[in-house]
Amino acid sequence: MTTLTSILDNDFYKFTMQFAVVKLFPKAKARYHFINRGEHKFPNGFGKLLEEAIQAMAKLKLTKAEKKFFSENCPYIDPTYFDFLEGYRYDPDEVIIQQNGTDLSVQIEGYWYRTILWEVPIMALICELYYTTTFQDRISDAAVIHIAKEKILKYDKLGVTIADFGTRRRHSYFVHNLVVETLKKYGKGTFIGSSNVHLAMVHQIKPIGTHAHEWFMFHAAKYGYKMANHLGLEHWSEVYRGDLGIALADTYTTDVFFKQFDKKLSKLFDGVRHDSGDALLFADKTIQHYVANGIDPLSKTITFSDGLDYEKVEKISTYCKGKIGYSFGIGTNFTNDAGVPAMNIVLKMTDAHPEEGEWTSVIKLSDEPKKHTGNDESIDLAKKTLMIED
């Protein structure tokens, strides 16, 4: 049976956001829905197997060793949070799974501080179970190691820094672990860490991440689209006081973000993360923004994380060299280059319920219009409010 073995087998930014939610929005609620972008066909009984794997997650709990590693590596997080996480248990009743023929439905609902941890592990389980139940054979362990080694050695020659961002759409836990082990072994000075906290602990590397789109999506539900980016970052800085300073820029398009990313925030945050749209155009806009605010772009960093492979990284790093700082987070290209097609799936927040408010649809306006998520009515309203034309 496919199961998770650690509560920390999740992306770092889920925990950093959870801490912020516990502090600032403990009564807020959220809903999430699975989106099968790749129109994958799920075999009979898949939903039941996924349900069993999710039921087993109720047994996961933070160990003393995990608590020690996590707290020592994140001194900017209050000790009370690690005590909270020690007592946290996944509640499978928050997840509703249905299968109709080859279609799979996954819905999550509950307090935001609780449901925030479900997204990444459920996606990882769906991928691993899919390959198992459709009898797709991957390449050998030796081949997985060879590919990961070749990639990190090429990145080393390029002189860039690379992190693993590949939990959610990995081939399997085993492959993910093998890849991280290989990247660490051959990527000294180039491979700087993993978004997966469990694997960061196993391999004694740095857990990496800040926040995700849902942080800003919730702020839009509570404060409106025009204030979402600004207040999202103000609240983040309230909690982290300058740590975890890479701001995600594309929840409501980059152009809107930079209008709300004022001089104070631009100086406070270490840089921005690129996650959709043209990477070189994004670099230009970021550099122009810093220059216009009297800030040396070389004192800031862009973390690129949108569907990267070697060719894209080489192109971006060549373009940005000498203009602005840069680093790269690589996901599926590391953890699902195993001889089978990678899945194209997401699990997104669709509705938020602030403490003083009501259930509100939330959306994301990507820099790639075809990647907008949410209902059409809310997307149209947001575009009108923010004066966005596709």
Side-chain angles (χ1 to χ4, degrees), residues 47-48 50-51 96-101 103-107:
K48 187 170 182 355
L50 179 60
E51 202 168 324
I96 298 170
I97 297 164
Q98 294 176 317
Q99 184 171 357
N100 183 11
D103 293 333
L104 180 71
S105 166
V106 181
Q107 298 178 58

Side-chain angles (χ1 to χ4, degrees), residues 256-271:
V256 168
F257 173 83
F258 280 129
K259 286 176 188 172
Q260 301 173 351
F261 195 46
D262 64 17
K263 188 166 187 173
K264 183 185 101 171
L265 292 171
S266 297
K267 286 193 166 187
L268 176 63
F269 280 79
D270 300 323

Side-chain angles (χ1 to χ4, degrees), residues 126-320:
I126 288 172
C127 290
E128 187 161 353
L129 277 167
Y130 182 75
Y131 296 124
T132 303
T133 56
T134 54
F135 306 103
Q136 298 188 53
D137 293 329
R138 67 172 174 87
I139 55 178
S140 68
D141 294 358
V144 169
I145 292 168
H146 175 75
I147 290 170
K149 177 183 175 183
E150 290 298 303
K151 285 178 181 176
I152 201 64
L153 290 177
K154 283 176 77 175
Y155 287 128
D156 185 53
K157 284 182 182 174
L158 204 54
V160 297
T161 55
I162 302 285
D164 153 49
F165 280 13
T167 304
R168 64 188 60 221
R169 282 181 286 264
R170 66 191 183 192
H171 173 275
S172 58
Y173 170 80
F174 186 88
V175 166
H176 194 179
N177 184 48
L178 206 57
V179 166
V180 171
E181 182 179 47
T182 306
L183 296 176
K184 183 190 176 186
K185 184 175 181 181
Y186 296 103
K188 191 173 182 183
T190 299
F191 180 58
I192 57 171
S194 173
S195 64
N196 187 291
V197 185
H198 164 67
L199 291 176
M201 177 180 168
V202 169
H203 298 287
Q204 291 299 296
I205 54 179
K206 184 181 178 183
I208 290 180
T210 51
H211 46 242
H213 297 106
E214 69 181 281
W215 180 251
F216 301 98
M217 290 158 77
F218 172 82
H219 277 76
K222 185 169 174 65
Y223 302 106
Y225 297 116
K226 287 192 173 182
M227 296 303 293
N229 284 317
H230 188 86
L231 285 177
L233 294 177
E234 285 281 6
H235 285 145
W236 194 258
S237 65
E238 251 180 63
V239 174
Y240 287 106
R241 314 299 297 171
D243 282 304
L244 302 181
I246 298 293
L248 182 57
D250 72 331
T251 310
Y252 299 107
T253 74
T254 294
D255 290 341
V256 168
F257 173 83
F258 280 129
K259 286 176 188 172
Q260 301 173 351
F261 195 46
D262 64 17
K263 188 166 187 173
K264 183 185 101 171
L265 292 171
S266 297
K267 286 193 166 187
L268 176 63
F269 280 79
D270 300 323
V272 293
R273 178 157 74 91
H274 169 262
D275 198 48
S276 67
D278 186 311
L280 305 189
L281 180 60
F282 180 87
D284 285 340
K285 288 178 179 179
T286 305
I287 292 164
Q288 288 164 12
H289 175 79
Y290 284 130
V291 170
N293 281 279
I295 298 166
D296 179 4
L298 286 168
S299 69
K300 300 296 181 178
T301 298
I302 301 175
T303 298
F304 294 92
S305 63
D306 180 30
L308 298 175
D309 55 23
Y310 179 80
E311 286 70 28
K312 289 179 183 176
V313 170
E314 182 183 36
K315 186 178 178 182
I316 293 166
S317 61
T318 301
Y319 189 80
C320 291

Side-chain angles (χ1 to χ4, degrees), residues 359-376:
W359 281 111
T360 304
S361 294
V362 297
I363 59 157
K364 173 174 166 264
L365 299 179
S366 169
D367 282 333
E368 293 176 27
K370 290 181 182 176
K371 282 192 173 179
H372 292 347
T373 59
N375 69 58
D376 291 341

Side-chain angles (χ1 to χ4, degrees), residues 1-22:
M1 180 181 167
T2 299
T3 55
L4 299 183
T5 58
S6 168
I7 200 167
L8 295 187
D9 188 3
N10 205 331
D11 277 344
F12 182 54
Y13 66 25
K14 283 294 181 173
F15 298 108
T16 57
M17 287 192 297
Q18 185 183 51
F19 171 53
V21 173
V22 167

Side-chain angles (χ1 to χ4, degrees), residues 40-152:
H40 306 284
K41 307 295 183 187
F42 293 93
N44 287 339
F46 185 92
K48 187 170 182 355
L49 289 171
L50 179 60
E51 202 168 324
E52 288 172 1
I54 286 170
Q55 289 289 338
M57 288 173 66
K59 297 175 184 174
L60 296 175
K61 59 183 179 180
L62 192 72
T63 67
K64 293 293 182 186
E66 288 172 333
K67 184 180 182 183
K68 184 173 185 289
F69 170 82
F70 206 170
S71 59
E72 285 178 353
N73 276 272
C74 306
Y76 43 78
I77 296 180
D78 297 343
T80 49
Y81 172 71
F82 299 109
D83 288 344
F84 158 80
L85 193 58
E86 198 171 24
Y88 176 92
R89 299 293 182 273
Y90 282 109
D91 180 1
D93 288 344
E94 293 166 348
V95 185
I96 298 170
I97 297 164
Q98 294 176 317
Q99 184 171 357
N100 183 11
T102 58
D103 293 333
L104 180 71
S105 166
V106 181
Q107 298 178 58
I108 302 162
E109 182 177 326
Y111 282 107
W112 189 25
Y113 79 87
R114 293 194 45 80
T115 55
I116 200 166
L117 292 190
W118 280 114
E119 175 195 346
V120 174
I122 287 180
M123 286 181 66
L125 284 169
I126 288 172
C127 290
E128 187 161 353
L129 277 167
Y130 182 75
Y131 296 124
T132 303
T133 56
T134 54
F135 306 103
Q136 298 188 53
D137 293 329
R138 67 172 174 87
I139 55 178
S140 68
D141 294 358
V144 169
I145 292 168
H146 175 75
I147 290 170
K149 177 183 175 183
E150 290 298 303
K151 285 178 181 176
I152 201 64

